[in-house]
């Protein structure tokens, strides 16, 4: 019974995670829209300076976009 519950939870988690196709600009836009706020919040907490956090987040997304077509999903895209 515990295995059935674990499988159901694992299945639900897989269905909830957004899937992104490397090179697909619409998917990158969706990634940006769904994760920018979380990333900015984390960077703001780490740096203690919202302006610096915004610069870092923007730089990270710019670098990610340049390599988006060669992205290999070994971890969640947000990572």
């Amino acid at each position: 019974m515990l295995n059935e519950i674990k499988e159901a939870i694992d299945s639900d988690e897989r269905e909830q995670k957004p899937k992104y196709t490397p090179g697909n600009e619409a998917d990158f836009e969706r990634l940006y829209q769904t994760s920018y706020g979380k990333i900015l919040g984390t960077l703001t907490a780490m740096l203690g300076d919202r302006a610096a956090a915004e610069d870092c987040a923007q730089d990270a997304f710019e670098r990610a976009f340049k390599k988006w077509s060669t992205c290999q999903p070994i971890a969640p895209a947000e990572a």
Side-chain angles (χ1 to χ4, degrees):
M1 174 134 171
L2 290 176
N3 285 338
E4 291 174 7
I5 293 171
K6 184 180 181 316
E7 289 173 9
I9 291 171
D10 290 345
S11 176
D12 288 345
E13 287 176 357
R14 282 191 298 265
E15 291 172 7
Q16 291 176 2
K17 291 181 184 176
K19 294 182 180 167
Y20 303 102
T21 303
N24 183 311
E25 289 187 32
D27 278 355
F28 187 85
E29 178 66 25
R30 186 167 48 93
L31 169 66
Y32 180 85
Q33 294 296 326
T34 59
S35 62
Y36 180 82
K38 292 176 191 175
I39 291 171
L40 179 61
T42 300
L43 288 169
T44 300
M46 290 172 63
L47 300 173
D49 180 351
R50 182 165 174 104
E54 288 173 348
D55 288 344
C56 287
Q58 191 63 33
D59 184 51
F61 277 103
E62 181 180 354
R63 289 176 182 218
F65 183 74
K66 288 178 180 177
K67 297 193 179 247
W68 186 242
S69 63
T70 60
C71 175
Q72 295 181 358
I74 57 174
E78 292 83 358

